């Protein structure tokens, strides 16, 4: 790639200003840490117990700190480290973007305030009433890792450096072993390089680098899967992936099914389980047929019954059914539950694809809204306006040579948003918890594109005015 990173000396923030910003970021999150303290959530015990359904990184993180600091104090250390990591991540990504595009200190401050604003919304406005770095759940570290990953992703799409790509792929493997949803990083990376590198290098170089990126992604996924298997082998003596990986897809498959779909399942024991499960779902009205008309009603009904189907009916019910049939409680029964789940999903998907797509599109709409706002009659329209404005800015910047680099940044961020919403919508309902990863960065990148684009327009206007004055002076001299 012909472009090289070269920041003029006058555009680089002074060391003093950078230290001040780092201290501000750390102080903000540490205040939240000490004032509001540890937040235990519904999923916390699963990570603390190191359940087989949980990815390895976060349980190992908790176990390590518990081994060092003891049962009574380690959770305070956990949230302290999570808040420190969040502070550093916010500083690093805003500093990198600020230096890259020669932003003024007040413009970098606006980006930081977007992150602070999202944290305050979580603490004081959202129903959960706590910031994620204070929570004993994967988001406690995953949100910070996502910001670090985006920083590397932006470097990759702008400069195609091998070192940045390798670091991004290693971090992507760690994120996937923290939370399966974070596999969206691979989609964001591949989609961004495919689109952002077009026309910026020779066709041969483009093909070579894209193939290298794809190969690196495959290697990173293999690394993540090997990490999970080694973890389960060391902890449980079983070289296997996590259990219940199919459970989320199973939930949607059951939600869109009809009781008579039992005819589609050939295996008798699984057909019997499906029939019992559908009886429970119909009794509790946890089925698409009970949803009101329109995508909003469908999505609201689906989201309202998702956890009940996933936890109460399928997770516990399927494992209990396996135990009743003679499978040993624990890993063996859970693996049999996974096998039966796979049979049901494969048997039902083709016949119920239309309803599945309706649910998916409703989830996509919900996810896109929750990324930039919150579902509400007025905010739904605001979200549409926000995306239209963002895409207009992105296209405008990509069409102007002097702004193309920031346009590429905007494109990569939009792909990251779309990848996150698209993958999450296929697996689970798009609640704010899963969408908030990109909220601050969507507004930050949009703001930076606007700042750079309007600086360009102002410069053009000054240049045009200067040219007009010069022409007038020349004409006056001729007249004299």
């Amino acid at each position: 790639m012909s472009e090289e990173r070269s920041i003029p000396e006058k555009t680089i923030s002074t060391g003093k200003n950078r230290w001040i910003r780092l201290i501000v970021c750390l102080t903000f999150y540490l205040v939240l840490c000490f004032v509001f303290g540890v937040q235990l959530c519904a999923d916390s015990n699963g990570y603390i117990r190191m359940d087989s359904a949980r990815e390895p990184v976060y349980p190992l993180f908790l176990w390590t700190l518990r081994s060092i600091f003891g049962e009574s104090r380690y959770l305070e250390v956990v949230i302290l480290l999570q808040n420190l990591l969040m502070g550093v991540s916010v500083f690093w990504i805003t500093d990198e973007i600020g230096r890259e595009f020669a932003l003024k200190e007040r413009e970098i401050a606006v980006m930081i305030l977007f992150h602070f604003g999202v944290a305050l919304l979580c603490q004081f406005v959202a129903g959960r009433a706590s910031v994620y770095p204070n929570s004993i759940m994967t988001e406690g570290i995953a949100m910070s890792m996502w910001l670090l990953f985006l920083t590397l992703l932006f470097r990759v799409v702008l400069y195609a450096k091998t070192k940045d790509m390798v670091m991004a792929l290693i971090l992507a493997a760690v994120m996937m072993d923290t939370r399966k949803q974070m596999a969206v990083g691979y989609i964001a990376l591949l989609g961004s390089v495919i689109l952002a590198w077009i026309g910026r290098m020779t066709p041969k170089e483009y093909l070579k680098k894209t193939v290298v990126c794809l190969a690196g992604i495959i290697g990173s996924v293999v690394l993540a899967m090997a990490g999970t298997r080694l973890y389960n082998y060391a902890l449980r003596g079983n070289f296997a992936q996590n259990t219940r990986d199919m459970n989320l897809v199973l939930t949607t498959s059951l939600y869109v099914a009809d009781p008579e779909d039992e005819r589609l399942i050939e295996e008798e024991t699984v057909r019997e389980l499906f029939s019992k499960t559908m009886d429970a779902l119909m009794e509790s009205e946890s089925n698409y047929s009970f949803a009101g008309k329109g995508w909003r009603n469908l999505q609201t009904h689906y989201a309202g019954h998702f956890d009940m189907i996933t936890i109460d009916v399928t997770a516990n019910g399927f494992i209990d059914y396996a135990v009743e049939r003679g499978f040993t409680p624990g890993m063996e029964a859970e693996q049999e539950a996974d096998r039966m789940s796979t049979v049901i999903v494969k048997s039902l998907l083709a016949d119920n694809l239309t309803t599945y797509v309706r649910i998916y599109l409703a989830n996509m709409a919900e996810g896109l809204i929750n990324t930039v706002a919150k579902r509400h009659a007025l905010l739904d329209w605001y979200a549409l306006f926000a995306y239209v404005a963002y895409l207009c800015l992105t296209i405008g910047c990509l069409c102007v040579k002097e702004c193309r680099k920031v346009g590429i940044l905007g494109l990569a961020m939009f792909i990251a948003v779309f990848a996150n919403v698209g993958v999450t919508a296929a697996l689970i309902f798009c609640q704010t918890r899963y969408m908030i990863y990109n909220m601050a960065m969507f507004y930050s990148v949009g703001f930076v594109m606007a700042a750079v684009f309007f600086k360009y327009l102002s410069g053009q206007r000054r240049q045009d005015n200067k040219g007009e004055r010069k022409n007038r002076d020349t004409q006056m001299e001729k007249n004299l």
Side-chain angles (χ1 to χ4, degrees):
M1 188 175 289
S2 59
E3 294 174 276
E4 293 292 335
R5 186 175 193 185
S6 179
I7 305 173
E9 200 65 35
K10 66 177 182 178
T11 70
I12 300 177
S13 299
T14 64
K16 179 182 177 182
N17 287 338
R18 297 181 71 206
W19 276 108
I20 290 173
R21 280 189 273 112
L22 175 59
I23 291 170
V24 168
C25 290
L26 292 175
T27 301
F28 176 82
Y29 287 101
L30 287 177
V31 168
L32 293 176
C33 171
F34 292 120
V35 171
F36 298 105
V38 175
Q39 299 294 321
L40 290 170
C41 310
D43 294 340
S44 298
N45 284 330
Y47 299 113
I48 292 171
R49 292 192 308 259
M50 306 178 87
D51 287 354
S52 59
R54 299 302 182 184
E55 294 81 3
V57 169
Y58 198 63
L60 282 174
F61 174 63
L62 297 178
W63 174 81
T64 301
L65 295 179
R66 183 166 62 246
S67 301
I68 296 171
F69 296 98
E71 190 75 33
S72 62
R73 301 296 299 172
Y74 82 100
L75 291 180
E76 284 83 356
V77 180
V78 168
I79 67 165
L80 174 63
L81 294 178
Q82 288 178 172
N83 277 280
L84 287 173
L85 179 61
M86 192 68 186
V88 170
S89 301
V90 169
F91 164 77
W92 191 34
I93 194 166
T94 55
D95 185 66
E96 280 285 312
I97 294 174
R99 286 159 58 83
E100 182 63 59
F101 298 105
L103 299 182
K104 298 174 182 177
E105 283 296 326
R106 63 174 178 269
E107 292 169 332
I108 300 175
V110 170
M111 286 195 291
I112 293 173
L113 287 175
F114 281 128
H115 291 273
F116 289 179
V118 169
L120 294 174
L121 282 174
C122 290
Q123 183 65 56
F124 298 108
V125 179
R128 71 188 315 275
S130 67
V131 291
Y132 287 99
N134 280 6
S135 303
I136 306 303
M137 58 199 306
T138 49
E139 279 79 8
I141 58 173
M143 289 184 68
S144 303
M145 288 194 289
W146 181 247
L147 292 180
L148 299 177
F149 176 79
L150 286 179
T151 308
L152 295 169
L153 170 63
F154 295 157
R155 287 181 174 183
V156 170
V157 297
L158 290 176
Y159 301 105
K161 299 295 183 184
T162 302
K163 180 184 74 172
D164 294 329
M165 185 177 293
V166 170
M167 291 173 64
L169 289 170
I170 292 173
L171 182 55
V174 175
M175 290 194 303
M176 186 174 170
D177 272 352
T178 303
R179 183 174 185 83
K180 283 291 191 296
Q181 174 202 345
M182 304 311 293
V184 300
Y186 296 121
I187 300 173
L189 178 61
L190 184 61
S192 295
V193 300
I194 287 174
L195 294 179
W197 289 351
I198 292 176
R200 301 176 64 221
M201 54 183 76
T202 64
K204 183 178 179 180
E205 187 182 11
Y206 173 80
L207 180 61
K208 177 184 174 182
K209 285 184 177 292
T210 304
V211 170
V212 168
C213 179
L214 181 59
I217 288 172
I218 294 171
S220 181
V221 171
V222 170
L223 177 64
M225 294 175 67
T228 298
R229 288 177 175 269
L230 288 171
Y231 165 77
N232 281 322
Y233 181 75
L235 193 64
R236 285 173 263 274
N238 198 327
F239 190 70
Q241 288 298 116
N242 288 340
T243 59
R244 293 175 59 188
D245 278 351
M246 184 61 69
N247 214 39
L248 300 181
V249 181
L250 172 68
T251 297
T252 307
S253 298
L254 291 172
Y255 181 82
V256 302
D258 296 304
E260 54 268 25
D261 288 340
E262 65 178 30
R263 73 186 191 282
L264 302 171
I265 302 172
E266 296 180 0
E267 188 177 332
E268 184 178 350
T269 54
V270 180
R271 186 165 62 247
E272 179 185 341
L273 174 61
F274 172 78
S275 181
K276 290 170 61 176
T277 303
M278 287 304 297
D279 287 344
L281 296 185
M282 299 306 284
E283 184 180 347
S284 61
E285 299 188 355
S286 301
N287 182 267
Y288 79 98
S289 59
F290 295 97
K293 293 183 178 180
W295 74 267
R296 288 181 176 85
N297 289 326
L298 178 63
Q299 198 285 326
T300 300
H301 185 267
Y302 171 75
H305 290 80
F306 189 93
D307 282 346
M308 194 279 288
I309 301 173
T310 303
I311 300 170
D312 298 337
V313 177
T314 58
N316 298 330
F318 279 42
I319 293 171
D320 291 343
Y321 185 74
V323 172
E324 289 172 9
R325 292 175 50 232
F327 289 87
T328 305
M331 197 75 169
E332 187 181 49
E334 291 172 14
Q335 288 178 330
E336 173 60 11
D338 284 352
R339 188 195 70 79
M340 293 187 293
S341 300
T342 303
V343 170
I344 291 174
V345 170
K346 288 182 177 179
S347 301
L348 302 182
L349 186 59
D351 254 46
N352 297 298
L353 190 59
T354 301
T355 312
Y356 201 108
V357 170
R358 282 178 57 210
I359 292 288
Y360 180 74
L361 294 177
N363 265 337
M364 282 282 292
E366 172 87 357
L368 289 170
I369 293 167
N370 281 342
T371 299
V372 301
K374 183 69 177 172
R375 270 285 305 280
H376 184 276
L378 291 177
L379 293 179
D380 291 354
W381 289 105
Y382 161 75
L384 177 62
F385 168 79
Y387 282 110
V388 170
Y390 184 96
L391 288 173
C392 288
L393 270 173
T394 303
I395 294 169
C397 289
L398 288 172
C399 291
V400 176
K401 182 180 179 181
E402 291 81 357
C403 302
R404 193 160 297 151
K405 194 176 286 186
V406 75
I408 291 169
L409 182 77
L411 177 64
M413 190 64 238
F414 182 77
I415 292 171
V417 168
F418 208 81
N420 184 48
V421 173
V423 170
T424 306
L427 299 175
I428 193 172
F429 66 101
C430 293
Q431 60 176 304
T432 304
R433 170 183 171 184
Y434 307 126
M435 300 297 102
I436 205 166
Y437 285 81
N438 290 314
M439 182 178 282
M441 285 307 302
F442 175 87
Y443 287 108
S444 294
V445 173
F447 168 75
V448 172
M449 284 195 294
V452 172
F453 191 66
F454 286 117
K455 283 179 187 177
Y456 163 76
L457 292 179
S458 298
Q460 284 291 104
R461 204 173 293 117
R462 285 194 296 270
Q463 192 173 0
D464 291 343
N465 291 339
K466 185 177 178 181
E468 288 176 8
R469 285 196 300 270
K470 185 176 180 181
N471 289 336
R472 282 199 303 269
D473 293 344
T474 304
Q475 188 63 42
M476 287 177 65
E477 289 176 2
K478 286 181 179 179
N479 293 338
L480 291 173

